[in-house]
Amino acid sequence: MDLEVRHLRVLCAIADTGSVRKAARQLGMTQPSLTTQLRRIENALGGQLFVRERSGSRPTALGHTVLHRARPIVAEMTALVDETRSAVVREQGTRLRVGSTGSRAVAGWLRRLRARLPGTDTTIRIDLSGNALLRMVAAGQLDAAFVHEVEGAPLRVPDGLAERELLAREPQFIALPATHPAAGLDCVTLADLADDQWMVDPSVDGEWAGLRRIFTAAGMDPRVMHGDYLAAADLVAAGEVVTPCQPTSRPRPGMVVRPLRGDPLAVRLFLAYRGGQDTEWVDALFADLRDAYMEVAWASTAYREWLVRNESPLPVGS
């Protein structure tokens, strides 16, 4: 087997995190596949690189030697890729127009794009409707859009658009009053919320359909209020309603955010753009979006606990 840069990244990740399990999560791999890859790397080099202990993995003398040479190679390659992606995006012009449905990752995405493209006029369009944003991309009014698609209620993707999937299934959590009997639980069930009034914003594509689907599956018929999600937090804190929310949502005084047992409600997250464009340009946009999402995902207490508990392959944000 010939060693490649990706193999050196594996060695650096294991050394940095101190364990194969943590490195696998950071790299977006399963632990067995990373263990197999490490074994192949060691076979190719002819010696053991890490000592496996109950507390984790530490480099052997040979491992330290390899890591000493591997780290600068990985750093140079990372710099090369970042600089190339930035150059490609700059060549697209001095204006970048992106769109997004509501997400806490948007601020970090914009920050990264503006740092990458200091001479580019980067603007963003926020819209509740993923379908509306997709139509704008197809019409050339936006260069790309980050949207969420409620499970069981697919968006209408216009012909000619391509996708880059960020997450196949992001679980949707529940915001409930801090005084709710289930607020002290680490994870709530639909049955815990059967007697509550729910709030949903029907103007968000697929939200009401997705909620009806899980109510039907659970044999529930709760009271439902249609309203604006901007006002939802105040109503939750006042003890009036419970409402679905993104797992990255921040709790506030009088409100807690909890996962739903079994994750019955979920969305797919993806970046849409017009097909036929330079893939390196899309790579740059997607890389910054991915890093921004990872940043807010791991910074959210409830979501971080869910990710650890479910051994998610979501890499640690940068």
Side-chain angles (χ1 to χ4, degrees), residues 128-142:
L128 293 174
S129 171
N131 284 317
L133 291 172
L134 293 175
R135 289 193 297 269
M136 292 181 72
V137 175
Q141 297 170 310
L142 293 174

Side-chain angles (χ1 to χ4, degrees), residues 140-205:
Q141 297 170 310
L142 293 174
D143 298 304
F146 172 46
V147 297
H148 74 272
E149 180 179 66
V150 178
E151 195 168 69
L155 295 174
R156 297 181 294 277
V157 181
D159 292 339
L161 294 194
E163 301 176 11
R164 192 71 65 85
E165 188 173 89
L166 176 65
L167 203 59
R169 197 172 193 272
E170 179 196 65
Q172 299 301 281
F173 287 5
I174 294 294
L176 63 158
T179 55
H180 194 285
L185 302 175
D186 292 332
C187 188
V188 300
T189 67
L190 286 172
D192 294 327
L193 311 173
D195 295 329
D196 292 292
Q197 179 168 244
W198 289 64
M199 182 172 180
V200 63
D201 189 340
S203 62
V204 180
D205 292 334

